[in-house]
Amino acid sequence: ATPLLVAHGKGFFEEQGIKAEKPVRLRSWAQVLEAFISGQVNAVHLLSPMTVWARFGSKAPAKVVAWNHTSGSGLSVLPHINSVKDLGGTTVAIPFWYSIHNVVLQILLRENGLVPVSKRTGKPAANEVNLVVMAPADMVPALASKQISGYIVAEPFNAASEVLGVGKMLRFTGDIWKNHPCCVICTNESYTRDKPEWTQKVTDAIVRAHVYASKSKAEVAKLISRDGKGYLPTPADVVEKAVTDYGPAYDQSGAIHHRDWKNGRIDFQPWPYPSATRLIVEHMNKTVVEGDTTFLKGLDPDFVAKDLVDYRFVKEAIGKNPDWLNDPSVDRTNPFDRQEVLSL
């Protein structure tokens, strides 16, 4: 949620004439979605596939106005696990069924001959990996106590397991799906329809925060940590590792396979590429999730890309902040389109 936190912490909302209360931290994605649906918050940081489920599965008036960050997630495992195949017969935690983490993890498992399952009781077979939903804050202690063999989640929880010595990074998700969206900025559709001025000002502040965060990762890490503004309960050294440490040691360990992609451990890019939304919808139909998934069956990826996202506000905002083009993931000759790349 860095762009939201930076926009608040650096006073960018106020500069737009928007009074913004301190962001509220909630422990689970279910709580975040409930806060959004019940109107307790005006702008919310949501997992990108979760917005698909919210709008088309739960019929919530959710509109995506910008991406929050790209990459910024990883698969952390116990120290003795050295390959994806080693996860067979074990349990791995995910933050939510409708998450980019669940999508990428299941791609990784299937490609390694493993079957993702959701079992409430019984031990998974040797070729199965049991998936459980767990609040991100509970993942590090669960790994430390060996209740799970690994977890896939956004930072800073991967960096935390490394710093504490309870786990290691097996793969970065941004090294599997190049510059994938992780989380997005979502608001109520009524704001985009009835309060376009307010929505534009909020989006302007957030896009400015994207540009600032891209240029000042170490400073921003301290700002959002418990040693700075205290948005996160995590110490500054862990947050700084989570946003800056993408060094050669990960090439040697195998966590990074695609150094030529030139992405970071986490990057901040606000434009919501339609190609990524389409790919999420396509892969959600192949992804094991609990609950009623009938809404996914007839969901057209092109329709979702047009209906879920309101591109007007972010397009105007990035026009005011042309430095977003300096992100290495952006093609200056064709900045609003891209081809999605998945490679193990």
Side-chain angles (χ1 to χ4, degrees):
T2 298
L4 274 174
L5 305 181
V6 170
H8 182 270
K10 298 297 291 184
F12 296 162
F13 287 127
E14 282 69 21
E15 288 178 17
Q16 292 290 332
I18 300 288
K19 184 182 177 183
E21 295 180 12
K22 184 173 181 178
V24 179
R25 185 172 69 240
L26 299 172
R27 279 184 55 82
S28 73
W29 286 110
Q31 286 180 313
V32 175
L33 188 62
E34 185 181 336
F36 170 71
I37 291 174
S38 63
Q40 297 174 51
V41 293
N42 304 108
V44 67
H45 163 83
L46 283 181
L47 296 159
S48 44
M50 184 189 261
T51 62
V52 176
W53 173 62
R55 184 166 179 84
F56 303 103
S58 299
K59 305 300 181 185
K63 274 284 186 181
V64 173
V65 294
W67 281 1
N68 236 335
H69 67 276
T70 58
S71 304
S73 297
L75 174 57
S76 292
V77 296
L78 289 168
H80 71 273
I81 290 176
N82 296 310
S83 71
V84 174
K85 285 183 167 57
D86 291 345
L87 295 172
T90 72
T91 295
V92 174
I94 58 174
F96 202 74
W97 290 113
Y98 291 92
S99 67
I100 210 78
H101 312 94
N102 190 28
V103 171
V104 172
L105 175 63
Q106 292 195 30
I107 291 171
L108 199 56
L109 295 178
R110 288 194 298 268
E111 288 295 322
N112 280 275
L114 296 172
V115 180
V117 297
S118 171
K119 289 185 174 180
R120 298 301 178 101
T121 58
K123 182 174 169 53
N127 69 328
E128 294 178 334
V129 176
N130 190 39
L131 305 182
V132 294
V133 171
M134 187 176 287
D138 295 332
M139 290 179 174
V140 178
L143 190 69
S145 62
K146 299 183 179 175
Q147 296 174 47
I148 55 176
S149 62
Y151 59 80
I152 188 165
V153 74
E155 298 289 8
F157 302 100
N158 300 293
S161 76
E162 291 178 291
V163 171
L164 293 170
V166 300
K168 66 181 182 183
M169 183 72 79
L170 189 65
R171 285 299 301 273
F172 288 100
T173 57
D175 190 63
I176 298 168
W177 179 351
K178 184 179 180 181
N179 297 309
H180 69 76
C182 183
C183 297
V184 297
I185 304 286
C186 195
T187 191
N188 192 297
E189 186 173 11
S190 64
Y191 294 131
T192 64
R193 183 182 62 244
D194 304 331
K195 296 184 177 181
E197 260 186 61
W198 177 89
T199 307
Q200 188 62 63
K201 288 178 178 180
V202 169
T203 310
D204 286 352
I206 290 168
V207 169
R208 186 178 171 197
H210 272 91
V211 173
Y212 190 90
S214 294
K215 293 178 176 178
S216 317
K217 288 184 178 180
E219 177 200 332
V220 160
K222 184 168 184 183
L223 172 77
I224 66 178
S225 74
R226 76 179 184 200
D227 302 312
K229 294 277 187 178
Y231 297 116
L232 303 181
T234 315
D237 62 328
V238 174
V239 184
E240 185 170 348
K241 181 178 179 66
V243 299
T244 63
D245 186 8
Y246 204 61
Y250 292 116
D251 298 86
Q252 295 163 17
S253 71
I256 296 175
H257 291 189
H258 304 290
R259 183 62 72 178
D260 58 304
W261 286 359
K262 297 185 176 6
N263 54 329
R265 183 161 178 152
I266 184 170
D267 293 305
F268 304 102
Q269 197 292 105
W271 178 248
Y273 286 100
S275 54
T277 303
R278 290 194 290 267
L279 193 60
I280 286 169
V281 176
E282 289 166 9
H283 273 282
M284 284 308 305
N285 272 300
K286 308 170 191 173
T287 303
V288 174
V289 300
E290 285 190 351
D292 184 4
T293 61
T294 51
F295 77 94
L296 282 170
K297 302 277 186 281
L299 213 50
D300 176 57
D302 287 321
F303 170 75
V304 174
K306 292 172 185 172
D307 186 72
L308 177 64
V309 184
D310 194 321
Y311 300 93
R312 295 172 296 160
F313 304 102
V314 66
K315 198 161 192 176
E316 182 172 328
I318 60 182
K320 299 170 186 173
N321 292 274
D323 278 0
W324 83 282
L325 286 167
N326 294 329
D327 188 292
S329 70
V330 177
D331 178 0
R332 282 174 168 269
T333 63
N334 188 25
F336 300 113
D337 291 294
R338 75 178 195 185
Q339 184 174 354
E340 300 304 314
V341 178
L342 276 82
S343 176
L344 300 187

